[in-house]
Amino acid sequence: MSLLRLYADHNATTPLSAFVKKALTEGLDDVLLANASSVHAHGRHTRQIIEKVRKTIADILNTSSKNIVFTSGASEAASWILKGFSGPVCVANDAHDCLKNPRKDAHIISMDAHGLLDMHHLDKTLDNLDKPALVAVMAANNETGIIQTHLHSIVQRVHEKGGLVLCDAVQVFGKIPLPQALFSCDFIIGSGHKIAAPSGIGFAKIPSRVPLEKLIHGGGQERSFRGGSENILGIIGLGAALNTLSPFPNTSLETVRNYFEEKLQILAPDIKIIGQKHIRLPNTSCVVMPHVKGEIQVMHFDLNHISVSAGSACSSGKVSASPVLKAMNLSDMEASCAARFSFSQEWNSDHMDRLISVWQDLYVKKCNRAPPSSKSPYALTY
Ligand code: PLP
């Protein structure tokens, strides 16, 4: 009998939810779907669907529909905003590559050891620039789950200096109540495939007052910023996903995640759980298994029918230390030996016990530790 494969990589991508699948099937069967720019009834029907989803996003972000632009995902939105902005750019050192890579002239702002932006470095950098800057940060880190609790101060300081803030909010939708400070960010980017919608659809809040280069020249779609017929099925899926984001507070998920971490710490007191003492996404756990490379851990879990990531999924395949953990001043060893576990609501303590058992198996093998005595109240059953 084959073992059920467990998926602990929800920060990389999420499976489609049943509600999204149903909405997509209805979309496929909708004989009135057509080109939304057409003026006939088919076109008007399609336009209505698109504008309804745009309004859903606008309501969530506390802004007007006219500020929302659909994109193919967060990377596209980030590249567009950062490259389209004519002034200087500052990017947080823990940021996803989609924020760090578009501008080679970006000023990288350091993080502190807790994974938060170094506010002194931000101030100093902004003071040394001769023009107001666009500052790009993450609402929560995809690898560690650490929530950028300085967001309010960041927005305040950048605005005081006449600059703008771009917030990568990809990882917060559906995981925590949106932080109040997010609504004051000038640009916000999000992605469908992180919230149970299909891959290839995302969105950006683009305020009309900010001059920005066009992304795709074509028809007048998306305020003429992004010409080309809309990804209607993607938009339908995104709308369905946004309408069914999980209710808060997400305490049950946090409870099983904490159960996982507590058990690991009892088994192996020399491990490090990144950001454990800080405010984190309730579904994320980033664990350093000393001297065991992240990719070895990923392979071990894969052979044992569990999907996890080492560092961010976008860097999988690269055998380098995690830049996010390096940005937090962790040693090369620690930054190379972390695995990221990201769970969904479906995870329960039985799933966790299987994950812990597979983790322990590798730890005992690689770190030459004997398993704890079976008399221990925390002994695991295999
Ligand atoms: N930002 C964060 C925090 C992410 O986790 C990801 C995906 O890994 C992205 C941006 C890129 O999103 P997309 O796949 O929609 O381009």
Side-chain angles (χ1 to χ4, degrees):
M1 198 181 71
S2 72
L3 198 58
L4 177 73
R5 179 164 268 278
L6 290 179
Y7 185 72
D9 203 14
H10 287 81
N11 286 6
T13 211
T14 46
L16 298 184
S17 70
F19 194 78
V20 168
K21 279 186 200 161
K22 182 166 172 283
L24 289 175
T25 310
E26 284 168 8
L28 286 168
D29 289 341
D30 185 347
V31 292
L32 283 180
L33 278 193
N35 190 322
S37 301
S38 302
V39 292
H40 47 60
H42 284 73
R44 292 197 307 274
H45 168 73
T46 311
R47 170 63 52 208
Q48 222 172 23
I49 292 174
I50 292 174
E51 295 314 317
K52 201 168 159 200
V53 178
R54 199 189 306 278
K55 172 92 170 63
T56 301
I57 301 168
D59 288 348
I60 291 172
L61 296 182
N62 212 4
T63 187
S64 148
S65 285
K66 69 180 189 327
N67 292 334
I68 303 301
V69 176
F70 291 107
T71 62
S72 70
S75 301
E76 177 187 304
S79 274
W80 169 36
I81 297 164
L82 287 159
K83 288 182 159 195
F85 182 77
S86 57
V89 157
C90 300
V91 181
N93 201 16
D94 76 326
H96 191 274
D97 280 351
C98 76
L99 296 179
K100 275 180 127 175
N101 289 344
R103 288 274 297 260
K104 297 298 164 216
D105 60 345
H107 300 267
I108 301 297
I109 310 295
S110 314
M111 312 305 292
D112 65 20
H114 310 300
L116 300 178
L117 199 74
D118 177 339
M119 299 303 286
H120 295 296
H121 192 208
L122 175 67
D123 282 339
K124 229 170 90 183
T125 309
L126 292 179
D127 285 343
N128 284 335
L129 294 171
D130 52 5
K131 280 190 195 155
L134 171 62
V135 177
V137 295
M138 303 173 88
N141 188 278
N142 46 307
E143 219 170 301
T144 62
I146 293 171
I147 296 170
Q148 181 50 258
T149 46
H150 287 337
L151 190 58
H152 177 74
S153 312
I154 295 168
V155 175
Q156 225 175 13
R157 291 190 202 188
V158 174
H159 282 173
E160 270 165 22
K161 299 206 184 317
L164 300 167
V165 178
L166 158 59
C167 187
D168 174 346
V170 163
Q171 292 292 343
V172 292
F173 292 102
K175 292 181 184 146
I176 53 167
L178 295 184
Q180 200 58 31
L182 183 69
F183 306 128
S184 315
C185 294
D186 306 279
F187 299 96
I188 303 171
I189 59 175
S191 175
H193 71 108
K194 309 287 182 173
I195 54 167
S199 201
I201 185 72
F203 57 89
K205 173 189 161 189
I206 307 286
S208 15
R209 67 192 157 79
V210 179
L212 205 63
E213 292 287 321
K214 290 181 180 186
L215 173 64
I216 301 174
H217 296 263
Q221 293 93 345
E222 302 302 299
R223 284 166 39 207
S224 295
F225 276 135
R226 188 179 192 269
S229 305
E230 296 86 347
N231 172 4
I232 176 67
L233 276 176
I235 292 171
I236 288 173
L238 178 63
L242 289 168
N243 283 324
T244 48
L245 288 181
S246 60
F248 304 112
N250 210 336
T251 47
S252 61
L253 189 49
E254 194 163 8
T255 306
V256 283
R257 190 272 313 270
N258 292 349
Y259 169 85
F260 166 68
E261 293 183 347
E262 282 158 21
K263 286 223 163 182
L264 289 195
Q265 280 174 312
I266 289 161
L267 289 169
D270 58 338
I271 60 167
K272 188 171 215 162
I273 295 172
I274 309 299
Q276 195 178 21
K277 295 199 170 64
H278 301 286
I279 304 179
R280 279 182 300 160
L281 298 174
N283 78 319
T284 308
S285 186
C286 181
V287 182
V288 175
M289 186 188 286
H291 306 289
V292 184
K293 294 265 187 213
E295 59 272 19
I296 301 284
Q297 299 185 47
V298 171
M299 273 189 279
H300 171 78
F301 282 108
D302 200 33
L303 289 171
N304 285 282
H305 311 281
I306 304 178
S307 300
V308 308
S309 269
S312 72
C314 303
S315 65
S316 60
K318 287 186 210 159
V319 191
S320 53
S322 152
V324 171
L325 302 186
K326 291 290 291 170
M328 290 172 66
N329 265 330
L330 269 77
S331 67
D332 275 338
M333 184 283 281
E334 290 171 321
S336 309
C337 296
R340 176 191 69 185
F341 305 89
S342 49
F343 308 108
S344 69
Q345 213 59 264
E346 280 75 47
W347 274 74
N348 58 35
S349 54
D350 289 343
H351 298 135
M352 286 299 180
D353 282 340
R354 203 175 120 200
L355 178 66
I356 294 163
S357 164
V358 172
W359 189 95
Q360 185 187 13
D361 183 35
L362 181 67
Y363 179 79
V364 169
K365 234 187 269 167
K366 292 280 180 191
C367 304
N368 288 325
R369 301 293 201 298
S373 140
S374 59
K375 292 199 185 92
S376 157
Y378 301 103
L380 296 167
T381 45
Y382 287 91

